[in-house]
Amino acid sequence: MHIHILGICGTFMGSLALLARDLGYKVTGSDTGIYPPMSTQLQKAGVEILEGYKAEHLQPAPDLVVVGNACKRGMEAIEYMLNAHLPYTSGPQFLYETVLKDRHTLAVAGTHGKTTTTTMLAWILQHAGIDAGFLIGGVPLVKTDDTRLTQAFAHSSHLGEKYFVIEADEYDSAFFDKRSKFVHYRPTTAILNNLEFDHADIFENLGAIQTQFHHMIRMIPANGQIIMPADTASLEDTLKKGSWTPVVRTKLDDNDSDAPWQAKLLQADGSMWQVSFGNETGEVRWNMSGLHNVNNGLSAIAAAHHIGIGIHQACQALSDFAGIKRRMEMIADINGMLIFDDFAHHPTAIATTLDGVKKRLNGRKIWAIIEPRSNTMKLGNHKNDLAPSAALADAVIWYEPANLAWGLKEAIGDAKNQLVLDSTDAIITHIVSHAQSDDAIIIMSNGGFESIHTRLIEALQNQ
């Protein structure tokens, strides 16, 4: 059976393409602005990628068109598909019908930490010898001599057997299905990491997102489990709409909490921490940092425990966890100057990442280079929170693109040590002129950022 995927280079749709190929489908796809890492993975897997959304890409007609949520009415391929009455579906629906309906699905939802927590959970299961499938919106960093683990995490998706771990995105499914992707997944085990306002391009307010979360919650069976942090008002309010599934709560460093899952820091930067659940305890020693990652790891351990993996075994797995690309990934060490790539694109994510960085790299001057690229950022919904979110950095450079609909300089104002520049060339020039050998530079963006990463490294190496 031949499927053609429109929007194939997105992290979700690209991973879906790899799963479909493993299921035996002939897979082709179309996209614009094709760029790594997903394009590289697909091409290595032998998936043909066509540039643009042209009608000719659907000739001869595939058996099914899988439509990504970036595709809209008016696109040549979409109009041809509809006029020719070609069979079509959304990516989430295709995933449920071909993979999830026959498996125990463990879904990770939330505004922040979905990709990281999903990867941690998939890693724990594979490390424990369970051939669990997964679909992750990122590329895992696998540093191990274990061939089985290396093969399983060769891509951002894996078919697996009885269990399937998935990043449960709240973004809409397709132009013809405005429900959140995760509504299609029908999980048995669900992690709800957190819930804040985001995706202002499709959600009017926080309440609209809570409604979608509740749609998913309504389908979690009574023999399943919901895992969520204690004292999170937005999630508690969502549960009040109705829940028929046992809920277990997690908590970090709070001996007075009645949350059954507890994490206690053994190092302030989160590089060592202890887990306790009833009479069971375990300890994680890893190369990750930040309280947000401790919380992510605690939730992953709790979810793994729900399907029978002991705490000690899960902690051992996380101690071997190397992280994922673009989540505080060190991409260069130039004579002692460290360059990191990070995906943070929301004020909360920026703040929590910088908190972990300051504790992890104590003594270094921390530079933050930030591109406000997400749809919510571009609309200006978080503009008043930007300067405070980056306050922990010693020096901040904000990139103001020409198409930003509001004034970034006005939003940042006179915030201490924060600068707004309108070109990546100017950013690189400033860094080359002012950064020192012992500094750490964190580049924060959820896009390609005009390849500033490689350009900055080259400029620093050639100075």
Side-chain angles (χ1 to χ4, degrees), residues 160-215:
E161 296 180 354
K162 180 180 178 181
Y163 298 99
F164 198 92
V165 183
I166 187 165
E167 179 175 338
D169 186 3
E170 68 270 28
Y171 214 77
D172 60 353
S173 298
F175 75 86
F176 51 86
D177 183 355
K178 307 312 287 184
R179 293 174 295 171
S180 291
K181 289 190 183 79
F182 58 44
V183 173
H184 293 277
Y185 299 158
R186 306 184 190 183
T188 301
T189 306
I191 294 174
L192 310 181
N193 262 349
N194 39 63
L195 181 52
E196 293 186 52
F197 181 60
D198 200 4
H199 304 309
D201 52 324
I202 61 170
F203 293 116
E204 182 179 356
N205 49 40
L206 178 61
I209 306 176
Q210 288 175 307
T211 296
Q212 294 296 320
F213 268 71
H214 189 243
H215 288 334

Side-chain angles (χ1 to χ4, degrees), residues 76-393:
E76 181 182 331
I78 294 295
E79 296 307 310
Y80 177 82
M81 176 189 79
L82 295 173
N83 289 335
H85 300 286
L86 300 182
Y88 63 91
T89 188
S90 70
Q93 185 65 29
F94 178 80
L95 179 65
Y96 175 76
E97 292 176 353
T98 58
V99 177
L100 300 184
K101 69 178 182 180
D102 297 322
R103 289 169 169 80
H104 178 127
T105 299
L106 300 95
V108 181
T111 308
H112 316 293
K114 290 187 293 292
T115 301
T116 302
T117 308
T118 306
T119 310
M120 288 177 182
L121 180 54
W123 178 263
I124 291 170
L125 268 59
Q126 290 286 344
H127 198 278
I130 297 174
D131 185 25
F134 56 82
L135 193 156
I136 302 167
V139 181
L141 295 171
V142 180
K143 300 175 182 177
T144 176
D145 294 329
D146 190 323
T147 303
R148 177 181 55 82
L149 287 171
T150 302
Q151 291 177 343
F153 286 91
H155 301 296
S156 54
S157 60
H158 176 69
L159 192 56
E161 296 180 354
K162 180 180 178 181
Y163 298 99
F164 198 92
V165 183
I166 187 165
E167 179 175 338
D169 186 3
E170 68 270 28
Y171 214 77
D172 60 353
S173 298
F175 75 86
F176 51 86
D177 183 355
K178 307 312 287 184
R179 293 174 295 171
S180 291
K181 289 190 183 79
F182 58 44
V183 173
H184 293 277
Y185 299 158
R186 306 184 190 183
T188 301
T189 306
I191 294 174
L192 310 181
N193 262 349
N194 39 63
L195 181 52
E196 293 186 52
F197 181 60
D198 200 4
H199 304 309
D201 52 324
I202 61 170
F203 293 116
E204 182 179 356
N205 49 40
L206 178 61
I209 306 176
Q210 288 175 307
T211 296
Q212 294 296 320
F213 268 71
H214 189 243
H215 288 334
M216 179 181 68
I217 288 170
R218 292 174 70 91
M219 291 187 285
I220 303 173
N223 63 356
Q225 189 173 94
I226 295 172
I227 299 156
M228 56 180 271
D231 306 322
T232 305
S234 56
L235 289 175
E236 297 292 351
D237 288 345
T238 304
L239 289 179
K240 289 176 183 176
K241 296 175 181 289
S243 176
W244 298 263
T245 307
V247 179
V248 296
R249 292 170 174 80
T250 63
K251 193 71 175 179
L252 173 61
D253 267 351
D254 187 353
N255 293 328
D256 295 328
S257 173
D258 58 358
W261 284 95
Q262 300 270 341
K264 179 178 177 60
L265 293 181
L266 302 178
Q267 292 288 342
D269 66 352
S271 60
M272 291 176 55
W273 45 285
Q274 184 183 66
V275 182
S276 62
F277 176 72
N279 294 325
E280 295 183 73
T281 60
E283 188 174 300
V284 175
R285 301 185 180 207
W286 59 2
N287 63 358
M288 307 282 285
S289 64
L291 303 186
H292 58 302
N293 279 322
V294 175
N295 282 314
N296 293 338
L298 180 60
S299 295
I301 291 171
H305 193 272
H306 184 233
I307 63 168
I309 297 176
I311 288 178
H312 177 75
Q313 192 171 24
C315 288
Q316 185 180 38
L318 286 187
S319 294
D320 293 334
F321 182 66
I324 58 176
K325 284 184 177 293
R326 307 207 67 191
R327 270 65 174 183
M328 275 306 293
E329 178 191 2
M330 193 174 81
I331 55 176
D333 181 343
I334 305 171
N335 300 319
M337 183 188 299
L338 306 182
I339 315 293
F340 294 87
D341 183 13
D342 192 77
F343 198 74
H345 59 282
H346 182 286
T348 299
I350 292 169
T352 54
T353 297
L354 290 175
D355 177 69
V357 169
K358 289 288 286 186
K359 292 171 180 174
R360 172 181 173 185
L361 303 177
N362 185 31
R364 289 181 181 266
K365 179 178 180 179
I366 306 299
W367 291 79
I369 302 173
I370 309 172
E371 179 187 27
R373 182 181 176 275
S374 71
N375 289 322
T376 306
M377 287 280 208
K378 287 179 180 178
L379 291 169
N381 293 77
H382 296 310
K383 63 183 180 182
N384 295 329
D385 300 322
L386 296 184
S389 75
L392 285 175

